[in-house]
Amino acid sequence: MPSTSGSTSTVEHDQAVGRLRASYQAIPPGEPVRLAKRSSNLFRPRTAVETPGLDVSGLTGVISVDPEARTADVQGMCTYEDLVAATLPYGLTPMVVPQLKTITLGGAVTGLGIESSSFRAGLPHESVLELDILTGAGEVVTARPTGEHASLFRTFPNSYGTLGYATRLRIELDRISPYVALRHVRLGLDALAPAIDEIVAQGTYEGEPVHFVDGVAFSPTEAYLTLGRNSDAAVPTSDYTGQQIYYRSIQQRPTDFLTAHDYLWRWDTDWFWCSAAFGAQNRWVRRLWPSRLRRSDVYHRIIGFENRHGYAARLNRRRGNPDRERVVQDVEIPVSRLADFLRWFDAEVGMRPVWLCPLRLRGTDTWPLYPLASSVTYVNVGFWGTVAIAPGAADGDVNRRIEAAVAEFGGHKSLYSDAYYDRETFERLYNVPALTAVKNIYDPNARLTGLYEKAVTRR
């Protein structure tokens, strides 16, 4: 692969992998093995540990971009912000760019990533050609779709570090134009599925091409699909990194125009709409809040501070308000059941807005630990916030009702946030027997924490 634009040489990468392996060997047997990384996009608190983490400090760059082959070699802890910065000058982008800048490529592949290209490009792991993985045995192996480590390659997605950590990934890239033209189409709940089916089947809507699609449901009677198409036209563009707020524009204007860069990161400035919880959407606060600090990782650190200290929760109680339960989830619902699920969600949970993002597996292959059907179009429904709970209610009651409903509607739930399943249900939904079979090969001494222990018991 030609080394064109990259922030990390192969020599530096090899040295970083050496430091990673040394840090692994330094962790005493029986002690938890975790990454020593400064940021995270997980929303499930984890038990604190005193042992040092794995040294991934040198694994944050882009090794090379090959614009002719449309591939890139990328280190596992490289953020999508840095990856896009390396590929966009070539008119290229990862096949799927998750919405938040500090999501890492390795994290999106071992967890879950989705965006408005997912209706045609699938999930991030489907564009991985090969990857190097530090296994639970302390070895670095190169896994590909076929060959000696094919079982590891297929089981790695949604394993959340239970099989190891990606140190290098070779991925496919997609073409993107300098600009993205948007249409915000208002639809009733029952009209969403037919519109999505048309877009998935034809790549068009009402005769116009669609390269990107996501949406927002603001209320039971107000939902929009945002349809994006690549454009080379140099016309005035909107800017949602300053005083204007992207999600509000969806209701305010039928069309819009963004640079490719600003389109990819349109959700990050306000963390979708969650920045309102910190006052960042108040016009006076917004003018004082530096734009460089209006980004998802800053808000996530504020949430982490609250989780540790509980100041806002105590203030809420002093004001006589009911306690609140955190409901931060992304679930995949078959498109045929989308309207029914949204009606159930409105009646039983009542959080608004919610994000809608169609997805379909890119190929015919399925992936063991996140068993979506290759012949079905799903819609990711994302909802992030808190809801008031009744006095005496058990922790997680609302989330448990959501988990049960998702299963009833034939859906599946991402594991980046809180989960409350019993072990038997969890192991069935996430195919833990398949994970265990591969784990026995690549982590024979169980150095890495199990998936149920990570996702549910927060270890």
Side-chain angles (χ1 to χ4, degrees), residues 94-95 106 118 198 207 231 300 320 352 355 369 394:
M95 300 294 294
S118 288
E198 177 183 341
S231 175
H300 197 283
R352 286 293 177 168
W355 188 53
L369 303 193

Side-chain angles (χ1 to χ4, degrees), residues 79-98:
T79 66
Y80 275 92
E81 181 177 26
D82 291 339
L83 176 53
V84 165
T87 63
L88 209 53
Y90 300 105
L92 299 172
T93 183
M95 300 294 294
V96 179
V97 180

Side-chain angles (χ1 to χ4, degrees), residues 395-426:
D395 177 53
D397 273 359
V398 176
N399 283 281
R400 288 186 181 90
R401 294 205 307 272
I402 293 171
E403 289 177 347
V406 169
E408 290 173 5
F409 283 100
H412 215 58
K413 165 181 155 174
S414 171
L415 295 176
Y416 73 90
S417 189
D418 300 302
Y420 294 87
Y421 299 106
D422 62 77
R423 185 180 288 274
E424 181 180 356
T425 301
F426 182 89

